[in-house]
Amino acid sequence: MSTPKKLFIKTYGCQMNVYDSERMAEALGGQGYVETTTADDADMILLNTCHIREKAAEKVYSELGRFKGLKADKPDLKIGVAGCVAQAEGQEIMRRQPMVDLVVGPQSYHRLPEMEAKTREGEKALDTDFPEEDKFEKLKGRRKAQRGPTAFLTVQEGCDKFCAFCVVPYTRGAEVSRPVDRILTEARDLVERGVREITLLGQNVNAYHGAGRDGSDYTLAKLIWDLDKVDGLERIRFTTSHPNDMTDDLIEAHGTCSKLMPYLHLPVQSGSDRILKRMNRSHTAESYLRVIERIRDARPDILMSGDFIVGFPEETEEDFQATLDLVEEVNYGYAYSFKYSTRPGTPAAERAQVDAAQADDRLQRLQSLITRQQRAIQQSMVGRTVNVLFEKPGRLPGQMGGKSDYLHAVHVADAPVQIGDIAPVRIVEAATNSLAGVID
Ligand code: 5AD
Ligand code: SF4
């Protein structure tokens, strides 16, 4: 047998990229590649990139620069760029960094094996199509090896919402939902290999409308109820959702489906109706708050998470204050806030930009409010007993780490548990980024 070639994949950005990287590694596994954890001994380096903000895209070019020396020492080394920067920049990447051999967009990575073969012939390979065929079908059959207790599973991809700041509808394309059957097959396969928690992924996951076995149109809630019946699967999560797609059945499922975890990431972006309109979000601050109220009626202890953009074009201090007010009202367990970043080709890119220093100041104020809320919620866990799914050994000997139902990182010293166990843990202390607990 020939020695396997080594593949180093570096993943940037969202959880869907993490999932895609796994699938790309499987696709290249068929070409004789095994994964390695360093670039230094790789025969192929693949950067799976993110284009959501300018900094994310620029990182790719600086990382590529760093690989120049490696390639000079090892001319056979192949360098590929995948993901959303690949989609958005295409050929431009090879123009800026001629040592790049392969550029593949997120909808074409099932064609990677042929593309890799082409690079072995000394040719460049570029594919940023939105092909008709189903890439997931082409990539059927994950490797049957055992794996960790948590997994991502893409059920929906793309976005038709066209928020004025966002590149996703351009890089990931139009909304497509995978058929129910294929998702269930993949879920069962993951469970057979040791997975106990699945996070369903989609850029607009709650707009899921895949076809059932009889061709009927499913909702995400219906899909969750089908997954609820999969023996051995203990926890279900989903991300990312749009407030307008929180359908009645999905809200209800949060109260009635015990496998559906009490954590919901529901981005709002701004608390100002004027800005929300300019963002093309098609909801108001009030309608967002009403949705949360209904979710909390169904599941009172749900932990809310969100995304915010500050310094969106034309945002005034008053608009920003409305965002702070909304955050105060919701009380987030987690929230991610970003300074607006101009993305070429999106409608907001053409508009009057907010002064950078002002945007920095707003980001800092928002983040300190969010951090306060996050800490208070973590602190409120002390004394409570929560279920924890153990994922890996902790940093200290004998320590085990995992996630609570609410997605808090929890570690337990001298834990009498195995990876993959779910056990009740009494929380005794809240640190900045994790909780410490004991098993009584
Ligand atoms: N600038 C800053 N943040 C952005 N996001 C999306 N596009 C931009 C942009 N141009 C944020 C949104 C989204 C999250 C994934 O990234 O908050 O929900
Ligand atoms: Fe981007 Fe989300 Fe808006 Fe779609 S709904 S355009 S992915 S921010």
Side-chain angles (χ1 to χ4, degrees), residues 280-316:
N280 193 31
R281 286 290 295 179
S282 61
H283 62 77
T284 61
E286 187 53 36
S287 69
Y288 175 81
L289 291 169
R290 260 205 318 275
V291 169
I292 293 187
E293 201 176 282
R294 291 177 55 216
I295 297 162
R296 283 185 167 149
D297 280 345
R299 179 80 204 224
D301 62 339
I302 199 154
L303 194 138
M304 290 304 306
S305 152
D307 286 344
F308 294 88
I309 294 178
V310 301
F312 185 76
E314 302 154 23
E315 184 189 68
T316 63

Side-chain angles (χ1 to χ4, degrees), residues 159 161-163 165-166 168-169 203-204 242 269 281:
C159 183
K161 297 270 193 296
F162 290 93
C163 296
F165 50 81
C166 187
V168 166
Q203 270 87 31
N204 226 322
H242 191 282
Q269 314 297 356
R281 286 290 295 179

Side-chain angles (χ1 to χ4, degrees), residues 106-123:
Q107 302 309 339
S108 317
Y109 63 69
H110 52 296
R111 294 175 177 167
L112 257 178
E114 298 124 68
M115 295 175 75
E116 189 270 347
K118 206 168 151 190
T119 65
R120 295 276 147 214
E121 301 292 312
E123 287 176 52

Side-chain angles (χ1 to χ4, degrees), residues 2-9 25 28-29 31-46 74 76-79 116 120:
S2 60
T3 41
K5 289 174 281 184
K6 290 191 178 155
L7 169 69
F8 173 68
I9 303 191
L28 289 168
Q31 300 293 107
Y33 281 92
V34 293
E35 268 188 276
T36 174
T37 50
T38 60
D40 298 342
D41 64 348
D43 298 290
M44 179 163 190
I45 296 174
L46 201 53
K74 194 174 177 183
D76 269 354
L77 170 67
K78 301 297 173 203
I79 296 184
E116 189 270 347
R120 295 276 147 214

